[in-house]
Amino acid sequence: MKPADEFRLMELCERYADEKLSAAEVTALEAELRADAEARAFFAKALHQRAELCFDDSWHAAMSATPAPDAGHAEPARPAPLRTPWWRYGITAAAAACVTFALVWLPGLRDGTVATLVRAQQCQWAGSSLPTVEGARLKPGMLDLMEGLAVIRFDSGAELVLEAPATVEVMDGMNCKLRRGTLVAEVPPQAKGFSIDTKDAKVIDWGTKFGLSAGEDGKYLVQVMEGLVEVDDKSGAQSKKLEKGQRVDHGWSQKQMHPSAGDDDDAEPSRWQPSIVMDAGDGWRAITTAFGRGKDSYIQSSDKAPHDFGTHPFFRVKHSRDTKPDLNRKGYIAFDLSQFSGRQIEDAELVLTIEPSELGFASFVPDSTFAVYGVLDESQDAWEESGLTWQQAPAHDPLQPERNLPLAAKVKLLGKFEIAQGINRGTRKLRGKDLADFLSADTNQIATLIICRETNETQDSGLVHAFATKENGTRSAPMLRVKLR
């Protein structure tokens, strides 16, 4: 800890003990001490020293003093040096401990709060009943996260990372309910027994780190990274204990791998996907993959992967760790350029719409870089959505070492874009001369692009990014905007 930080904490200690801190300053101090073990230890030491200095032992000194000798008596023997009794140290230590306890725990007991929102990264909130400002103390209530990552630290020590979109209900210091979405929980030894409810299951943590995904339809996934958890299925099935590397998947992955399956009574109205060339103004024209011979799909590096990716409402992209080579994914999109034949393309812009994939954990994927490549061999533009597989795809070798990228000799890099950690909505645009030149060089009136993620996950089961396709009923399909001369 820096000297400046120590001086600041010493000053806060004095002002706190003298009851001169404002309510806002007390809240900020509480949040800092909960988050920083070094600061917490220093503050406790400062309180202890203050208790020592303020301890009044004059009454003890008076009781221990030896009376002055009479003039007619011989000089008395020299008294033994006074030694501080053991109970003095006990009192001062107890005083410091009590003050520390009052600072960290009593505010929650006094005002009903049970947790703290310690971090809010790129967050957008919906109908939350609790405060959503970073550092806010939380009472029992609802948090509805639409965008970003949020970290909740319960007073018991349990910590949750919410990954949007997610809705969680804070119950008390040892219990919460995940109504929908994904979270990663880390529970220290002192919080063993911390539990998370879902519609159809209850997960009890016995000191570990695990991920949990759940839907309002009752489907859920529990995956253990460290330690031990117990999963109690509310259907009456026998509870299961999971250790590191184990998981229980109650229909969650099946739902995500086949997103078009099932009826959704709460689905948004279908979006019209334009199958025409649109005039975007100022000389710009726009098409989507829904126009003409346009198409969009993706491939996954697994022989067991489904072959219906072309029917999905989004294409998925992932760079997977070497321990999970079968989980790499690359997106393929193609645009019909027939309406621009014989015209010079002066400028061009690709627009992709980010879609929540709800597959994998965003906590394990940092800010990510994506690369867009153009396929050079026009004979490979004839791929079909229904026939695109890991074994047969443009600019691709199923045995290539870099599974997340295309074959370098068969593509041209057109540009890159970024998606920050936790972001699952919005659009990303790629514009520039390389894209315009690639499209201008086309001779067969169709252009194939490959979208790859360069950034790797930090742990297994990292997030799979997704982008809307022409099959999506609520988001815009991949769009190409061109400016003609």
Side-chain angles (χ1 to χ4, degrees), residues 172-186:
D172 55 45
M174 287 292 289
N175 298 277
C176 70
K177 184 171 185 177
L178 179 64
R179 295 187 173 272
R180 68 173 182 120
T182 295
L183 61 77
V184 175
E186 189 159 2

Side-chain angles (χ1 to χ4, degrees), residues 216-228:
E216 294 175 305
D217 56 4
K219 295 179 173 61
Y220 64 87
L221 167 70
V222 183
Q223 182 163 330
V224 180
M225 289 79 180
E226 299 173 9
L228 175 70

Side-chain angles (χ1 to χ4, degrees), residues 125-253:
W125 304 88
S128 301
S129 64
L130 296 175
T132 55
V133 178
E134 192 171 281
R137 291 286 294 162
L138 305 177
K139 296 180 179 181
M142 199 78 67
L143 284 171
D144 193 2
L145 181 65
M146 300 302 295
E147 187 78 59
L149 294 178
V151 180
I152 302 172
R153 182 173 297 133
F154 288 78
D155 290 347
S156 60
E159 188 171 284
L160 305 182
V161 181
L162 298 185
E163 302 181 356
T167 303
V168 67
E169 182 178 358
V170 176
M171 311 291 286
D172 55 45
M174 287 292 289
N175 298 277
C176 70
K177 184 171 185 177
L178 179 64
R179 295 187 173 272
R180 68 173 182 120
T182 295
L183 61 77
V184 175
E186 189 159 2
V187 179
Q190 69 268 23
K192 283 184 177 181
F194 184 87
S195 70
I196 304 176
D197 248 346
T198 71
K199 184 176 184 295
D200 284 355
K202 184 174 186 176
V203 183
I204 305 172
D205 192 294
W206 298 112
T208 185
K209 182 177 183 179
F210 71 95
L212 172 63
S213 297
E216 294 175 305
D217 56 4
K219 295 179 173 61
Y220 64 87
L221 167 70
V222 183
Q223 182 163 330
V224 180
M225 289 79 180
E226 299 173 9
L228 175 70
V229 302
E230 183 176 349
V231 181
D232 184 10
D233 193 296
K234 296 179 181 178
S235 66
Q238 186 177 4
S239 63
K240 296 181 179 180
K241 291 187 176 180
L242 307 178
E243 298 179 346
K244 180 179 180 179
Q246 296 181 322
R247 62 191 290 179
V248 168
D249 191 340
H250 187 71
W252 178 263
S253 295

Side-chain angles (χ1 to χ4, degrees), residues 42 45 62 75 103 120 129 132 152 172 177 197 199 250 270 308 339 354 378 384 401 448:
F42 181 86
K45 182 179 179 181
E75 182 179 351
L103 174 67
S129 64
T132 55
I152 302 172
D172 55 45
K177 184 171 185 177
D197 248 346
K199 184 176 184 295
H250 187 71
S270 294
D308 64 344
Q339 295 300 305
I354 306 169
E378 293 187 346
E384 298 291 337
T448 296

Side-chain angles (χ1 to χ4, degrees), residues 68-85:
D70 293 337
H73 290 78
E75 182 179 351
R78 186 183 299 271
L82 293 177
R83 290 194 298 176
T84 303

